[in-house]
Amino acid sequence: MNRTITRIAPTAVELPRLRKVCGYVRVSSPKDAMLHSLSAQVSYYNDLIQKTRGWAFAGIFTDEAKTGTKENRQGFQQLLEACRAGKVDMVITKSISRLARNTVTVLQMVRELKALGIDIYFEREKIHTISAEGELLLTLLASFAQEESRSASQNVKWRVKQKFSRGEVSSGIQMYGYRMVDGVLRIVPEEAEVIRLVAQYYLEGLGGTRIMELLNEAGYASKTGRQWNEHTIREMILNEKLAGDMLLQKSYIDDPISKKVKKNKGELAQYHVSQSHEPILDRGTYERIIAEHTSRVLKYQPNPTTRKSYPFSSKMVCGICGDHFRRKIAGSAPQYKKPVWICHTYNQRGKKHCPSRQIPEDILMEVTARVLGIPEFDSAVFAEQIQTIHVPAVDRLVFCFYDGRIVERTWQNRSRSESWTDEMRQRQRVQSVERSGK
């Protein structure tokens, strides 16, 4: 019996997969006209994507009143998350400068998304980054955009310098005790009373820690609404604005791309404006405070320039209380002593005031090295790339890069046995033998 096998062709036709397309829109000014432009652009991309055959609408991501050089924008980060989650095949945006003015940031994003098979289309330049020539053209155009950003930054610096030379103050000054009203600092009476109380305590000989405790016990709220800390009190009580003066250009932005703020230590001119506003403290009281501070520095820190700094110093911020982490040698017995990083509030006042947790320095370095993608911790690479490390919970670390990236990691403390060295184990064996002999 001869069997016959006949192939029956499938009748169902596989439908082509729709391309998931989203739009990204950013305006750099909160003014009504610019926000109207934002609304118009959102409507434009909405219609364009939904009316184009073969495209599926994957959303519109927006940012308002943010600079193009600092990429920690909410809409920008949401866009990246959607791309990494596989929800987007192509991104449409108006121009390279709308996405970012920093060449490094643009190219990092383009390469990351290109590796994921995601195309970015810049309408003004008519560039598809997924094409072979796209990245070359993009590198050239992004370089021009970066130079435009630097030029704009220089223009802003020139205008600020001219304002400072005329004694005009910035409208963005925020300080406990004052509010800026029509370009002039006005006293906030209830906050001014707290400042006068702090001045009284300080001149009576109380230290920052004790003043902090008294203010918190009395229920006085700080500028942030959180509890007071020693650093805040010291910065507040030494500010020349309390005496009615203004020292302009205490800090400056050195690089328009990273936007890193540096303390002015003589690199740029400063401008002292006397009697620029109503004082909270009289001149005599303020001068006694400065003299008292100088006396304490000479007494307790006779050579402050020799104070050692560590890679993580001033970089780690407690997300629970807002204070900074500091380095400390922990452990009672010599064999257990090791450097750790601990919240200053927790260290000074205990878990009742901040339930944070100390982080062993070796573990902190290991996690940081993995985040930076290097085999072992390098302080120079860390200082160049990481702006701050936020510690929002006992086992979480949030790394904020200068280029706007945010990376979150968890950490876990090793057991005591894992943290022992061969030398420590040998010492323990000897001690056990000695105890057995006795």
Side-chain angles (χ1 to χ4, degrees):
M1 181 178 179
N2 296 327
R3 290 188 302 171
T4 302
I5 300 174
T6 304
R7 179 180 181 274
I8 302 173
T11 56
V13 179
E14 184 178 352
L15 296 174
R17 187 178 74 89
L18 295 177
R19 196 176 193 189
K20 295 171 287 188
V21 181
C22 74
Y24 177 72
V25 179
R26 178 181 64 82
V27 295
S28 55
S29 171
K31 294 181 180 178
D32 292 342
M34 293 299 288
L35 296 182
H36 175 73
S37 172
L38 174 65
S39 176
Q41 290 180 61
V42 169
S43 298
Y44 165 73
Y45 285 125
N46 227 316
D47 292 341
L48 174 65
I49 295 171
Q50 300 200 48
K51 290 180 179 178
T52 302
R53 180 175 295 180
W55 286 5
F57 183 73
I60 306 293
F61 301 90
T62 64
D63 282 303
E64 300 176 9
K66 299 287 183 182
T67 66
T69 56
K70 190 176 182 181
E71 304 311 330
N72 55 347
R73 302 168 257 158
Q74 186 176 1
F76 184 86
Q77 295 300 329
Q78 290 173 348
L79 169 63
L80 290 179
E81 290 172 7
C83 291
R84 291 163 182 160
K87 299 177 181 179
V88 176
D89 295 321
M90 184 170 79
V91 180
I92 303 178
T93 189
K94 185 177 179 181
S95 66
I96 295 173
S97 61
R98 290 297 88 192
L99 189 69
R101 293 197 180 104
N102 183 348
T103 307
V104 175
T105 303
V106 174
L107 294 182
Q108 283 177 343
M109 180 182 180
V110 168
R111 286 168 180 160
E112 178 185 353
L113 298 191
K114 192 172 182 180
L116 296 172
I118 300 172
D119 184 21
I120 306 176
Y121 179 61
F122 299 98
E123 288 192 299
R124 179 180 296 169
E125 294 84 4
K126 294 182 172 58
I127 294 177
H128 280 279
T129 59
I130 206 74
S131 63
E133 68 279 2
E135 189 164 345
L136 174 60
L137 293 173
L138 189 65
T139 302
L140 297 173
L141 290 170
S143 296
F144 287 124
Q146 181 169 333
E147 287 307 310
E148 288 177 5
S149 176
R150 291 185 184 277
S151 176
S153 175
Q154 292 300 322
N155 291 337
V156 171
K157 286 181 178 179
W158 184 86
R159 289 197 298 270
V160 170
K161 181 180 178 181
Q162 294 302 309
K163 286 183 63 176
F164 283 169
S165 64
R166 294 193 297 267
E168 299 177 15
V169 301
S170 170
S171 60
I173 292 177
Q174 296 182 354
M175 178 186 173
Y176 188 86
Y178 288 102
R179 295 292 183 277
M180 183 67 76
V181 180
D182 297 329
V184 179
L185 285 178
R186 304 294 185 187
I187 292 177
V188 180
E190 58 273 19
E191 294 181 1
E193 287 303 312
V194 176
I195 291 175
R196 295 185 185 104
L197 182 61
V198 171
Q200 177 186 330
Y201 287 152
Y202 193 80
L203 292 176
E204 288 175 355
L206 274 64
T209 302
R210 182 54 184 153
I211 295 175
M212 169 190 71
E213 292 173 348
L214 291 172
L215 294 182
N216 289 329
E217 289 170 3
Y220 293 114
S222 66
K223 184 175 67 175
T224 61
R226 296 178 175 176
Q227 291 193 324
W228 292 88
N229 62 62
E230 186 178 352
H231 175 76
T232 302
I233 291 172
R234 183 173 61 253
E235 291 293 314
M236 178 185 72
I237 200 66
L238 297 176
N239 197 312
E240 80 287 343
K241 296 181 184 66
L242 298 182
D245 295 344
M246 191 92 65
L247 182 61
L248 305 178
Q249 202 154 260
K250 292 181 182 178
S251 60
Y252 65 98
I253 296 176
D254 183 42
D255 183 4
I257 303 303
S258 68
K259 295 291 185 182
K260 185 176 181 180
V261 178
K262 294 180 66 175
K263 187 174 182 180
N264 188 359
K265 297 181 179 180
E267 295 88 350
L268 300 177
Q270 292 183 321
Y271 303 88
H272 185 271
V273 184
S274 61
Q275 299 180 357
S276 63
H277 55 276
E278 185 181 358
I280 291 177
L281 302 178
D282 63 78
R283 181 74 55 182
T285 300
Y286 178 74
E287 290 177 353
R288 288 199 302 274
I289 289 173
I290 297 300
E292 175 66 18
H293 172 71
T294 303
S295 175
R296 294 187 190 187
V297 169
L298 293 175
K299 181 177 180 181
Y300 298 108
Q301 300 177 24
N303 191 7
T305 58
T306 61
R307 184 178 178 182
K308 192 170 182 180
S309 179
Y310 301 91
F312 297 101
S313 296
S314 302
K315 292 270 191 178
M316 298 183 65
V317 181
C318 179
I320 299 174
C321 71
D323 210 342
H324 279 78
F325 273 64
R326 299 186 178 185
R327 193 175 190 265
K328 174 183 177 180
I329 302 299
S332 53
Q335 65 268 31
Y336 299 134
K337 287 186 178 297
K338 62 179 181 179
V340 299
W341 286 83
I342 187 170
C343 172
H344 182 246
T345 299
Y346 172 83
N347 189 43
Q348 292 288 321
R349 308 179 65 195
K351 186 176 289 189
K352 177 182 176 183
H353 297 278
C354 180
S356 59
R357 182 181 178 187
Q358 65 185 25
I359 308 172
E361 186 174 72
D362 56 346
I363 294 178
L364 182 59
M365 287 182 170
E366 287 177 12
V367 176
T368 304
R370 289 198 297 270
V371 169
L372 292 170
I374 54 180
E376 60 182 21
F377 181 78
D378 186 311
S379 58
V381 175
F382 171 75
E384 181 181 354
Q385 296 194 33
I386 303 294
Q387 184 174 21
T388 54
I389 302 176
H390 290 270
V391 190
V394 295
D395 61 347
R396 290 168 57 202
L397 297 170
V398 179
F399 294 82
C400 301
F401 287 71
Y402 281 115
D403 65 12
R405 287 178 294 144
I406 297 177
V407 178
E408 184 173 337
R409 290 289 184 270
T410 58
W411 67 275
Q412 187 175 8
N413 211 342
R414 301 188 186 93
S415 65
R416 178 172 291 183
S417 61
E418 290 178 332
S419 63
W420 279 21
T421 63
D422 292 338
E423 182 183 353
M424 292 166 62
R425 291 190 178 92
Q426 180 60 27
R427 189 187 302 116
Q428 182 65 23
R429 294 190 194 100
V430 174
Q431 292 175 352
S432 298
V433 171
E434 290 177 348
R435 284 196 296 269
S436 300
K438 291 179 182 179

